[in-house]
């Protein structure tokens, strides 16, 4: 294993060994290796790169190192900075996973159940990608999760730029069992009073986080932004149903209209109800 001491050294090592795989916490990588799905020719360890293990303030944003662990993001000082991301990090699994797993690894793996991903989508975070020759480029996190702007040869995610909203933000998730576990559905919701926006992302139910944009615009139009963000009591429930229906729509009717669309299977209907409940709770918590 190669152990570079800087981001540029890591990029150089990956450029020199195109078949090498970068590894930080290794929580997902080692699971793939142990299951026989991956046999890397070489590894480039990122654990000694101190520049990507912290964060800094930059022009109204938090510039987060890709090497930040979930355990570090779950601490109170980070929670005061980006509460929803801290909540997602604390929910990411048992202590051994949180101590090893990193923010950059969560993004690159892009597993649907990645807890930080809906938060980053709702925050409209941007990735700072390091490439050969000291080149740095930026791309929205949603582009990478959707398979666009994929990492090129020798490229690494160095940092994640997250806007500091100084406004309510919430992350909730549902699992199939008590205690830490993989999400069956998750919802991240943030209020942006400066832009009078509500942004919501639903995770775990699709290959990438889903943004119910029409539901966001609708609920934002109902909020009394200049009056302590008041909202009619039944609006939260309506918002939850709107989000769930947008992310898990009813089957389309037959083109000729001869047959009624089949109802949603019970398991899918249960999932939609779960998403509705999470979205309703998230909005209520943010507004309170």
């Amino acid at each position: 294993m190669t152990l570079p001491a800087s981001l540029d050294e890591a990029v150089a090592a990956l450029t020199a060994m195109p078949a090498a795989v970068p590894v930080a916490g290794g929580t997902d990588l080692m699971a793939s290796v142990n299951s026989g799905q991956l046999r890397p020719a070489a590894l480039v360890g990122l654990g000694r790169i101190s520049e990507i293990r912290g964060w800094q303030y930059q022009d109204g944003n938090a510039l987060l190192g890709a090497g930040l662990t979930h355990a570090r993001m779950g601490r109170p000082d980070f929670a005061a900075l980006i509460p929803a991301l801290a909540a997602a990090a604390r929910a990411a699994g048992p202590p051994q996973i949180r101590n090893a797993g990193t923010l950059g690894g969560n993004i690159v793996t892009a597993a649907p159940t990645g807890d930080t991903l809906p938060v980053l989508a709702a925050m409209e975070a941007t990735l700072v990608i390091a490439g050969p020759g000291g080149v740095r480029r930026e791309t929205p996190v949603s582009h990478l999760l959707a398979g666009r702007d994929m990492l090129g040869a020798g490229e690494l995610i160095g940092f994640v730029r997250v806007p500091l909203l100084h406004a309510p933000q919430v992350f909730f998730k549902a699992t199939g069992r008590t205690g830490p576990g993989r999400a069956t559905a998750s919802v991240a919701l943030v209020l942006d009073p400066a832009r009078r926006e509500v942004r919501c992302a639903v995770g775990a139910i699709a290959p990438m986080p889903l943004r119910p944009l029409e539901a966001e615009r609708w609920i934002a139009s109902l909020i009394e932004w200049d009056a302590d963000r008041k909202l009619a009591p039944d609006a939260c429930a309506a918002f939850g149903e709107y989000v769930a229906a947008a992310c898990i729509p009813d089957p389309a009717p037959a083109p000729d209209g001869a047959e009624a669309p089949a109802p949603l299977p019970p398991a899918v209907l249960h999932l939609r109800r779960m998403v509705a409940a999470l979205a309703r709770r998230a909005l209520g918590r943010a507004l309170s």
Side-chain angles (χ1 to χ4, degrees):
M1 177 186 290
T2 303
L3 296 171
S6 72
L7 199 54
D8 286 334
E9 286 183 15
V11 168
L14 289 171
T15 303
M17 298 182 293
V21 175
V23 57
T27 53
D28 291 311
L29 175 68
M30 294 314 299
S32 297
V33 170
N34 292 337
S35 66
Q37 297 177 341
L38 183 66
R39 288 287 182 268
L43 296 175
V44 175
L46 309 179
R48 293 177 54 194
I49 306 177
S50 59
E51 64 189 291
I52 62 171
R53 299 185 69 83
W55 70 82
Q56 57 186 291
Y57 301 99
Q58 189 179 84
D59 301 325
N61 298 280
L63 193 64
L64 312 179
L68 274 170
T69 64
H70 291 88
R72 185 66 189 89
M73 290 187 291
R75 293 181 188 174
D77 58 340
F78 189 93
L81 190 71
I82 312 175
L85 193 55
R90 289 193 294 266
Q96 62 268 30
I97 295 296
R98 298 197 304 273
N99 288 334
T102 63
L103 178 61
N106 219 199
I107 297 168
V108 171
T109 301
T113 54
D115 291 313
T116 66
L117 303 185
V119 178
L120 296 176
M123 299 288 288
E124 296 186 342
T126 301
L127 305 178
V128 180
I129 297 172
V135 172
R136 301 289 188 269
R137 67 179 180 92
E138 300 196 14
T139 187
V141 67
S142 57
H143 285 198
L144 188 70
L145 297 178
R148 304 192 300 273
D149 289 337
M150 296 294 289
L151 296 178
E155 287 190 327
L156 280 172
I157 296 175
F159 303 93
V160 183
R161 192 187 308 280
V162 180
L164 294 176
L165 300 179
H166 304 295
Q169 47 186 264
V170 181
F171 172 81
F172 286 133
K173 88 178 203 180
T175 64
R177 59 186 177 86
T178 303
R182 291 187 179 274
T184 53
S186 61
V187 169
L189 185 140
V190 301
L191 301 184
D192 190 343
R195 295 163 61 181
R196 300 195 172 204
E197 289 181 352
V198 176
R199 296 200 293 275
C200 176
V202 178
I205 66 170
M208 62 173 288
L210 302 178
R211 287 279 303 275
L213 299 177
E214 290 186 6
E216 293 176 1
R217 288 190 286 265
W218 173 75
I219 200 65
S221 72
L222 299 183
I223 294 175
E224 297 181 32
W225 294 99
D226 297 322
D228 297 325
R229 297 190 286 268
K230 293 181 180 179
L231 193 64
D234 58 350
C236 287
F239 173 73
E241 297 296 334
Y242 200 163
V243 169
C247 295
I248 308 175
D250 289 321
D256 57 6
E259 297 182 8
L264 289 173
V268 178
L269 187 59
H270 174 71
L271 185 61
R272 187 155 83 172
R273 290 171 178 161
M274 187 183 303
V275 170
L278 291 174
R280 180 187 70 241
R281 288 179 55 208
L283 181 61
R285 177 69 63 82
L287 291 172
S288 67

